[in-house]
Amino acid sequence: MGAQLRVYKRRIRSVTATKKITKAMEMIAASRIVKAQRQVAASTPYATELTRAVTAVATGSTTKHPLTTEADAPARAAVLLITSDRGLAGGYSANAIKAAERLTERLRGEGKEVVTYVIGRKGVAYYGFRERKIADSWTGFTDSPTYADAKRAAAPLIEAVTQETAEGGVDELHIVFTEFVSMMTQNPVDGRMLPLSLDTTKEEEGKGEILPLFDFEPSAEDVLDALLPRYVESRIYNALLQAAASEHAARRRAMKSATDNAGDLIKSLSRLANAARQAEITQEISEIVGGASALADATAGSDK
């Protein structure tokens, strides 16, 4: 019985140490969410207005440009997937990968070859384990991305978009990331960055909203050439910030669940340890009483 009690105590110490670690990770993730939310709020208006400006240029000119021109028969599409560098975030990376897989299947169903780009060690490990080709990958900054990281990831994508398909270029550019909705809700989403969809502009015109007018100097093509990298970089940067906030929120939720489960396990083990200790005490008392009774019987027999 004593050995069983020692096992329970050892497990309680182990679970208590784990609980301290998960609680610390929960607090760290909670502290980082606030900063990530502020960065998302600061970058979103810029990305939105830049998209509106590019859309206005596209609708106000007849220039054919990779930013706005649909290919007659698109054959290749690039997909940028954003995952995390670290684990312990629940199903955060797995859900983003599943969304990318669904997008890939849909694009292949349309007869397009898919070229995959990945941000985050979890995504790289997923494709590497399955021996699936990745055009390029970036790691080491998913929990705290900067605009320089977005530029580094955007460079090969912009190059692929501006190249001819026969030379290794792509006709479309898609992005998959986890959108931060609230502390409890983060949704994996996919969207097409290029060519730019003009449906939003048509909807705004239908609502009677007055769109800004732009004069192109020296030409609309030169303006689009200048806006193309800015547009792609801003969209990727905003997606990275959204993903970082979602990662911290998912990790906080996962660590809180782990901490609560550890507390419940400690209570359960404590009850078992108490029961084992009481059983041990009861057994010792029974042995003492039995020994005293046997001694009394032996003493009474000798007196006769």
Side-chain angles (χ1 to χ4, degrees):
M1 193 64 68
Q4 187 178 11
L5 181 59
R6 286 193 296 272
V7 171
Y8 287 140
K9 288 183 176 180
R10 185 164 59 248
R11 289 191 62 189
I12 289 173
R13 287 195 297 270
S14 176
V15 175
T16 301
T18 302
K19 181 181 178 181
K20 291 180 180 179
I21 295 173
T22 56
K23 183 63 176 179
M25 294 183 67
E26 176 190 347
M27 295 176 66
I28 292 172
S31 66
R32 291 178 176 177
I33 292 175
V34 178
K35 179 181 178 181
Q37 284 181 295
R38 290 174 180 172
Q39 290 179 321
V40 171
S43 69
T44 299
Y46 174 77
T48 302
E49 290 304 317
L50 183 57
T51 302
R52 283 171 53 84
V54 174
T55 303
V57 173
T59 56
S61 68
T62 58
T63 303
K64 291 186 177 182
H65 193 273
L67 189 62
T68 58
T69 304
E70 294 273 359
D72 295 332
R76 303 185 82 221
V79 175
L80 174 63
L81 168 62
I82 300 178
T83 62
S84 66
D85 285 321
R86 298 185 295 126
L88 301 177
Y92 166 76
S93 292
N95 292 334
I97 291 172
K98 289 178 182 177
E101 291 289 87
R102 289 193 296 267
L103 174 61
T104 300
E105 290 298 322
R106 187 173 78 245
L107 293 174
R108 286 176 178 167
E110 296 173 358
K112 301 171 186 175
E113 179 187 353
V114 178
V115 183
T116 305
Y117 297 81
V118 181
I119 294 177
R121 292 191 178 94
K122 291 298 179 180
V124 173
Y126 175 85
Y127 286 95
F129 180 76
R130 289 158 180 78
E131 298 182 351
R132 294 167 61 178
K133 184 178 179 181
I134 299 176
D136 207 343
S137 63
W138 304 268
T139 59
F141 55 82
T142 59
D143 59 342
S144 183
T146 63
Y147 195 82
D149 298 322
K151 289 185 66 175
R152 187 153 53 92
L157 295 171
I158 296 171
E159 183 180 356
V161 169
T162 54
Q163 285 181 342
E164 295 293 334
T165 305
E167 300 175 358
V170 296
D171 299 310
E172 296 178 356
L173 175 57
H174 300 258
I175 186 170
V176 179
F177 66 99
T178 305
E179 181 184 24
F180 181 84
V181 180
S182 66
M183 295 288 287
M184 297 301 297
T185 305
Q186 302 87 42
N187 299 324
V189 296
D190 65 83
R192 193 181 74 174
M193 286 195 293
L194 296 175
L196 184 66
S197 175
L198 304 181
D199 293 340
T200 304
T201 304
K202 294 177 181 178
E203 292 177 2
E204 292 174 349
E205 290 176 348
K207 295 178 182 178
E209 183 175 348
I210 300 176
L211 296 176
L213 297 176
F214 292 89
D215 291 328
F216 307 134
E217 181 66 32
S219 66
E221 184 176 0
D222 291 332
V223 172
L224 288 172
D225 286 339
L227 287 177
L228 175 60
R230 301 292 180 271
Y231 167 74
V232 175
E233 291 165 5
S234 66
R235 287 288 301 271
I236 293 177
Y237 181 53
N238 183 258
L240 285 172
L241 294 178
Q242 295 260 6
S246 299
E247 178 184 347
H248 294 316
R251 182 168 291 112
R252 174 186 174 275
R253 190 167 61 250
M255 291 300 99
K256 185 180 186 307
S257 178
T259 302
D260 294 342
N261 291 339
D264 294 339
L265 184 56
I266 289 172
K267 291 179 182 179
S268 177
L269 291 172
S270 297
R271 285 194 293 267
L272 293 174
N274 291 335
R277 183 167 58 251
Q278 290 173 357
E280 184 177 356
I281 293 172
T282 301
Q283 183 178 358
E284 291 177 355
I285 293 175
S286 299
E287 291 174 353
I288 293 173
V289 172
S293 177
L295 181 60
D297 293 341
T299 303
S302 61
D303 290 341
K304 293 178 181 179

